[in-house]
Amino acid sequence: MSNAVCPARRLTEADAAQVCALMQGNPLFYRYHPPQPTPESIRTDMTALPPGKAMEDKWFVGFYDGDCLIAVMDLILNYPAADTAFIGLFMTAHDRQGCGLGSRILRDCMARLSAAGYHRLRLAVDEGNPQSLAFWTKNGFTLTGEVHPNDFSAYLPMERSI
């Protein structure tokens, strides 16, 4: 994911505090997706995998403006199907929202995934989160109609062809 809209690289445990600061700057997200992140929970997320997946399928990526982390994405390749990629998390810094940055990063990611042979991109939004639903809908994702209850509400899967 280098040479993207903005420089990007895989994140490591050493980046956890920086990722946590970006995430804590988005309180609306955590109103629908508790609890608030900590560096420890970020380090756990960096290695969390769905069943049957391995670390080579996971890209926990940071996007930068100079030395400043401005967005993060957790991407799982070939999940839940061989031609599908799954976004477990995508978040831009609060002060970078509303200017098209997230959509530009997403378009670049979809172009790269398509060139690599992927046909579908999937994710889930937290039920009731208007900001997340609006962003993903604006970017061509549609609700699948599935509902996956969780401890605080439910995940609503969305997907789109790429």
Side-chain angles (χ1 to χ4, degrees):
M1 288 227 176
S2 61
N3 298 322
V5 171
C6 46
R9 68 172 173 83
R10 268 189 161 145
L11 297 170
T12 68
E13 286 189 4
D15 301 305
Q18 192 178 29
V19 172
C20 187
L22 180 144
M23 292 177 156
Q24 288 178 342
N26 286 286
L28 178 63
F29 179 82
Y30 291 100
R31 184 180 312 158
Y32 299 95
H33 192 93
Q36 286 286 319
T38 65
E40 296 76 25
S41 70
I42 300 300
R43 284 190 282 278
T44 298
D45 289 346
M46 288 177 166
T47 59
L49 292 165
K53 299 311 300 173
M55 283 306 295
E56 59 263 16
D57 299 318
K58 184 175 180 91
W59 288 79
F60 201 95
V61 180
F63 299 87
Y64 288 84
D65 181 0
D67 291 335
C68 182
L69 179 67
I70 58 173
V72 295
M73 180 183 286
D74 183 5
L75 184 70
I76 306 291
L77 301 176
N78 298 307
Y79 181 80
D83 67 344
T84 303
F86 186 88
I87 296 176
L89 171 76
F90 180 57
M91 185 178 287
T92 59
H94 182 72
D95 64 344
R96 302 294 180 107
Q97 293 174 4
C99 65
L101 173 68
S103 294
R104 286 192 307 273
I105 291 171
L106 184 60
R107 280 192 304 272
D108 184 67
C109 178
M110 288 188 296
R112 291 167 183 274
L113 288 167
S114 179
Y118 292 88
H119 301 295
R120 185 157 293 297
L121 193 53
R122 190 169 168 101
L123 55 92
V125 296
D126 294 302
E127 185 174 49
N129 185 330
Q131 183 182 33
S132 292
L133 184 60
F135 173 80
W136 294 112
T137 300
K138 174 182 81 171
N139 283 285
F141 287 77
T142 58
L143 291 165
T144 65
E146 301 167 63
V147 176
H148 298 278
N150 56 36
D151 293 340
F152 46 88
S153 178
Y155 295 123
L156 307 177
M158 298 183 83
E159 60 184 27
R160 70 162 286 167
S161 295
I162 54 174

